[in-house]
Structure formats: structure tokens, C-alpha cells
């Protein structure tokens, strides 16, 4: 633990919190907030560094979204807020509903609206969708709620500088650059188009009346390929290339013979 924290700090990755989580051998590392690109850099470097540092101790860290069907998955939650160029936070308004400013309402609305079409950008592997099941602390619908950990977006009220939205949909297997770009772009889309905020989900988010998220990488890839907003925000060249890479990933999995199939069918059929 000390080697991880000291070595990461040596190249400017400050860990604010590092503690055990649900499941054997599971740890949560809270990387200190930063500007967008630097935050993505730190997230990518953290995963690479953790593998190198842990190898010195004969340990292999895993960043799969779901490595064991009987245990909770591994998340990669993104905490986000917007600030002016002069350094003023814009998400807080004590007069707004739940302390949310108009800008924050539109930002969250944009994320909720585009989340189904952008799922493949946030959940990029076949394994990503093994985590996205009912009751596994991962959302299955495009929802938001205040301090609700069963929704895709968790709004966290607080002081002007602490008010933020937690993008709980993302997992540890995300590409931080793509996931942050997609989530921020969808929020800015909501602001630009003044997308109205849908009703808050209260209680169990798995029972919410909300748009469902794609349940497989194949389905998510198809949704992304048909999204006009994705091409508008991220560029057609990127979207077309990314869709091809995810299609290739799906085809590789679809042609694989898994251990589950061997154990279930090898002898009895």
C-alpha cells in the first residue's frame, strides 16, 4: 500500500483515499480532482503504474468490470463539475431544485438523454455488460437521483465548489479519455440545447420508468453507430472508426468457445 501511494505521488498522482471495498481483494482509489485532460492522464497512468508497482510484490491488479459472477463489479466513477474561466463554479444554486443551477440541470439532462446511445463509449468491452445487471451497484437504465447509488447519475449537493454529479455508469475497464469526452460532451449538449431535466428517480433505480441502457456490447455499438449526436459532438471519423473496433471485438467474442460452454455441454450433449 505504501509503495503504491509513494510511487504514484512521485509522478503527481495524488490519491485522496485508498481503502477496501465490497468483495475480497477489492480496493477503491480516489484520485484527486483536476482539470479534464489531466484527470484523464492520471486515470490512465494510475492503471499502468498500479500494474508495474504491484508486480514488484508478486501481485497482479485487475481492472475488469466484472471478474467473478458471484462478486460485485469494479467501477470507475467520474465526479464532474463545471467552472467558469475565471474560476467560479456554476453547478450550485441554493434557490434551484435540490440546489441545482439551471446549467447543472441541463448538464445532467444531456447526460441522461444521450447515455443509451453513448453506452459503447463508456462500457467498451464485452465484459463491461456483465457488471450492468440488477442489484450489482451498476445502473441498467438512464436515470439520475440525488445521493442515489442505484441510478446512473448521482447528484451530490453541497457547497458551491463541492456540488457535482457522479457518473456512476462508468467502470474500471473504461478508456478514461473516451469516457470523459463522451460524458462531458453529452452534458454540454444538454446545456447548449437546454434539454429539460427528466423526473428524478427516487428509491430503487432498477424499478424506475426510464430508458433502458443497452445490455450487450453488440447492441450498444449499433446504437452508437446510428447516433447523429455522437457524430455531431465527437466527429464522424472517430465514431465510424470506434464502431468498427467494437464490431471487431464483438465478432471475436462471438466466435470464442468459453469455459462455461465446455462445462455445460462437453459431456452431456
Amino acid at each position: 500500500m505504501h509503495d503504491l501511494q509513494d510511487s504514484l505521488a512521485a509522478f503527481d498522482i495524488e490519491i485522496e483515499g485508498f481503502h477496501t471495498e465490497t468483495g475480497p481483494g477489492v480496493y477503491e482509489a480516489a484520485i484527486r480532482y483536476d482539470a479534464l485532460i489531466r484527470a484523464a492522464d492520471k486515470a490512465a497512468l494510475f492503471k499502468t503504474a498500479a500494474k508495474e508497482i504491484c508486480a514488484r510484490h508478486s501481485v497482479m491488479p485487475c481492472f475488469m468490470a466484472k471478474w467473478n459472477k458471484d462478486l460485485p463489479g469494479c467501477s470507475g466513477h467520474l465526479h464532474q463539475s463545471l467552472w467558469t474561466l475565471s474560476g467560479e463554479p456554476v453547478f450550485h444554486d441554493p434557490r434551484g431544485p435540490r440546489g441545482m443551477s439551471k446549467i447543472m440541470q441541463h448538464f445532467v439532462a444531456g447526460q441522461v438523454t444521450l447515455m443509451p446511445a453513448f453506452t459503447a463509449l463508456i462500457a467498451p468491452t464485452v465484459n463491461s455488460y456483465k457488471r450492468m445487471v440488477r442489484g450489482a451497484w451498476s445502473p441498467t437504465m438512464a436515470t439520475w437521483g440525488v445521493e442515489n447509488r442505484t441510478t446512473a447519475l448521482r447528484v451530490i449537493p453541497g457547497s458551491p465548489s463541492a456540488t457535482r454529479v457522479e457518473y456512476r455508469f462508468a467502470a474500471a475497464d473504461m478508456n478514461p479519455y473516451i469516457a470523459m469526452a463522451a460524458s462531458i460532451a453529452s452534458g454540454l449538449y444538454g446545456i447548449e440545447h437546454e434539454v429539460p431535466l427528466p423526473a428524478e428517480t427516487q428509491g430503487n433505480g432498477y424499478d424506475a420508468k426510464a430508458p433502458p441502457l443497452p445490455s450487450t456490447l453488440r447492441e450498444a455499438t449499433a446504437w452508437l453507430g446510428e447516433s447523429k449526436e455522437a457524430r455531431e459532438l465527437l466527429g464522424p471519423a472517430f465514431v465510424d472508426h470506434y464502431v468498427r473496433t467494437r464490431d471487431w471485438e464483438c465478432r471475436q467474442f462471438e466466435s470464442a468457445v468459453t469455459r462455461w460452454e465446455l462445462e455445460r455441454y462437453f459431456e452431456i450433449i
Side-chain angles (χ1 to χ4, degrees), residues 65-75 77 119 123 126-141 143 149-152 168-171 204-207 212-217:
K66 185 84 167 178
W67 78 274
N68 186 304
K69 71 180 182 65
D70 298 320
L71 297 172
C74 298
S75 63
H77 298 161
T119 295
V126 170
N127 182 255
S128 302
Y129 299 81
K130 303 299 176 71
R131 168 180 170 264
M132 295 161 52
V133 295
R134 183 184 178 93
W137 299 105
S138 174
T140 58
M141 299 182 182
T143 53
R149 287 175 168 81
T150 67
T151 55
R168 294 180 57 82
F169 180 30
N204 190 344
Y206 297 106
D207 294 330
L213 297 172
S215 59
T216 65
L217 181 60

Side-chain angles (χ1 to χ4, degrees), residues 17 24 28 40 45 50 60 63 73 96 117 129 150 152 163 169 185 188 191 195-196 207 222 226 233:
E28 178 180 74
L45 286 170
M60 178 183 290
F63 294 97
Y129 299 81
T150 67
T163 298
F169 180 30
L188 296 179
I191 295 173
V195 177
D207 294 330
E226 297 170 0
L233 295 169

Side-chain angles (χ1 to χ4, degrees), residues 2-268:
H2 287 295
D3 195 9
L4 267 173
Q5 291 180 296
D6 294 343
S7 299
L8 289 167
F11 55 101
D12 195 29
I13 298 181
E14 182 181 350
I15 305 299
E16 289 189 323
F18 194 46
H19 55 83
T20 55
E21 256 288 357
T22 306
V26 179
Y27 284 81
E28 178 180 74
I31 302 173
R32 181 175 173 80
Y33 61 86
D34 210 325
L36 180 60
I37 298 299
R38 283 180 57 80
D41 287 343
K42 290 179 179 181
L45 286 170
F46 172 83
K47 292 168 72 171
T48 301
K51 292 176 183 179
E52 294 292 337
I53 296 165
C54 288
R56 304 173 190 166
H57 303 272
S58 301
V59 174
M60 178 183 290
C62 175
F63 294 97
M64 289 177 65
K66 185 84 167 178
W67 78 274
N68 186 304
K69 71 180 182 65
D70 298 320
L71 297 172
C74 298
S75 63
H77 298 161
L78 307 173
H79 288 249
Q80 302 174 345
S81 62
L82 289 185
W83 297 62
T84 66
L85 293 176
S86 60
E88 297 296 324
V90 298
F91 270 3
H92 177 75
D93 183 353
R95 298 164 297 181
R98 299 291 208 164
M100 301 169 65
S101 68
K102 279 289 186 182
I103 290 178
M104 185 178 191
Q105 293 176 54
H106 292 317
F107 186 89
V108 172
Q111 291 188 326
V112 170
T113 299
L114 297 186
M115 189 176 289
F118 281 23
T119 295
L121 298 166
I122 309 297
T125 73
V126 170
N127 182 255
S128 302
Y129 299 81
K130 303 299 176 71
R131 168 180 170 264
M132 295 161 52
V133 295
R134 183 184 178 93
W137 299 105
S138 174
T140 58
M141 299 182 182
T143 53
W144 75 276
V146 174
E147 295 291 8
N148 190 333
R149 287 175 168 81
T150 67
T151 55
L153 302 176
R154 170 188 167 219
V155 169
I156 306 172
S159 67
S161 61
T163 298
R164 61 195 185 277
V165 58
E166 180 188 28
Y167 204 93
R168 294 180 57 82
F169 180 30
D173 64 345
M174 67 174 171
N175 178 313
Y177 297 98
I178 295 176
M180 291 183 191
S183 57
I184 293 293
S186 58
L188 296 179
Y189 173 90
I191 295 173
E192 180 181 356
H193 294 272
E194 297 185 343
V195 177
L197 185 66
E200 176 188 352
T201 295
Q202 297 182 343
N204 190 344
Y206 297 106
D207 294 330
K209 295 181 179 179
L213 297 172
S215 59
T216 65
L217 181 60
R218 171 64 73 193
E219 183 183 2
T221 301
W223 285 32
L224 177 63
E226 297 170 0
S227 173
K228 296 179 180 178
E229 293 84 0
R231 284 178 161 74
E232 173 191 335
L233 295 169
L234 303 173
F238 169 78
V239 173
D240 287 340
H241 173 73
Y242 189 85
V243 165
R244 290 190 192 101
T245 70
R246 295 308 88 196
D247 178 67
W248 172 257
E249 190 79 0
C250 290
R251 284 188 281 136
Q252 296 307 296
F253 175 71
E254 289 160 356
S255 65
V257 178
T258 66
R259 181 174 177 175
W260 183 91
E261 292 168 282
L262 292 174
E263 291 177 345
R264 190 169 183 87
Y265 303 128
F266 190 88
E267 182 180 356
I268 65 172

